[in-house]
Amino acid sequence: MFDPRERIQVFIDGANLHGGTKALGFDIDFKKLMQYFSNNGYVLRFNYYTAILDSEDVSSIRPLIDWLEYNGYRIISKPAKEFTDHLGRRKIKGNMDVELAVDVLEQCCRTDHVVILSGDGDFTALVAAVQRKGLKVTVVSTMKTTPPMIADNLRRVADQFIDLATIKDEIARDRPDQ
């Protein structure tokens, strides 16, 4: 799967990963996730991208962000924007695609293998650009949901695709009833 001599960086689209694992019915144990990739290669850095809603006094994601920061993850965040759509529904927008893409491109000279935990088809051009620089790219998402969380064009361009469903037992948080 990974060459132990490769320098690996992991880039996590927090919202996309959360959506994929929820659709598969499990929660990520981020310590296990870190261990999974560290056992498979030399990981330089784990990067986690998320938008945070400023209007909430205590963000529901804040405890996770704090834990990740204290446990070796680099957190990249920005304020989410809240708006009302044309039907009067409250919507939240906090896309981190550009930040993730810029970081991947900036790290190309220090990395041999990029791992992107997202199924967002917007990353297809990024993956192709990184491959042209000689790097390998692994994409982690899932096809086991309806509809699949991975864009077909992203899955096809990646050097390797790992379905979250196949590594669930290695990265899932233990349930209290077990």
Side-chain angles (χ1 to χ4, degrees):
M1 176 158 58
F2 295 95
D3 182 333
R5 297 168 294 183
E6 293 177 324
R7 296 169 300 166
I8 300 168
Q9 286 204 53
V10 178
F11 298 86
I12 303 168
D13 176 346
N16 196 282
L17 178 62
H18 178 76
T21 58
K22 286 296 176 202
L24 290 170
F26 74 96
D27 292 321
I28 289 278
D29 180 323
F30 284 94
K31 189 177 234 174
K32 288 181 180 179
L33 181 71
M34 187 179 264
Q35 193 63 49
Y36 173 81
F37 286 107
S38 296
N39 286 344
N40 286 293
Y42 178 64
V43 181
L44 297 173
R45 180 170 285 155
F46 290 87
N47 304 281
Y48 187 91
Y49 298 80
T50 189
I52 300 172
L53 191 59
D54 279 343
S55 65
E56 295 178 15
D57 288 337
V58 178
S59 171
S60 59
I61 197 171
R62 179 50 59 195
L64 171 64
I65 298 304
D66 289 343
W67 187 93
L68 292 172
E69 278 186 315
Y70 285 115
N71 287 278
Y73 285 80
R74 178 175 161 252
I75 304 302
I76 303 87
S77 65
K78 70 179 179 184
K81 295 185 180 13
E82 190 175 355
F83 66 97
T84 305
D85 71 7
H86 67 282
L87 298 175
R89 296 178 296 203
R90 178 179 169 236
K91 298 281 188 174
I92 298 170
K93 182 177 170 108
N95 192 315
M96 296 295 294
D97 292 0
V98 171
E99 289 81 357
L100 190 149
V102 168
D103 284 353
V104 169
L105 291 171
E106 285 181 343
Q107 295 302 316
C108 282
C109 62
R110 296 175 192 84
T111 305
D112 302 307
H113 195 142
V114 170
V115 177
I116 299 173
L117 279 80
S118 180
D120 191 334
D122 290 343
F123 292 127
T124 303
L126 170 66
V127 170
V130 168
Q131 289 168 327
R132 286 191 300 272
K133 294 179 176 285
L135 281 71
K136 286 197 277 184
V137 180
T138 296
V139 173
V140 182
S141 186
T142 187
M143 292 180 57
K144 305 289 184 196
T145 56
T146 306
M149 294 292 294
I150 178 92
D152 189 56
N153 56 338
L154 179 61
R155 184 178 56 84
R156 289 176 187 268
V157 75
D159 294 300
Q160 177 174 250
F161 170 67
I162 299 173
D163 198 304
L164 285 166
T166 64
I167 62 172
K168 174 183 175 181
D169 292 342
E170 297 175 74
I171 64 169
R173 187 180 322 156
D174 295 330
R175 293 190 170 191
D177 58 307
Q178 294 179 343

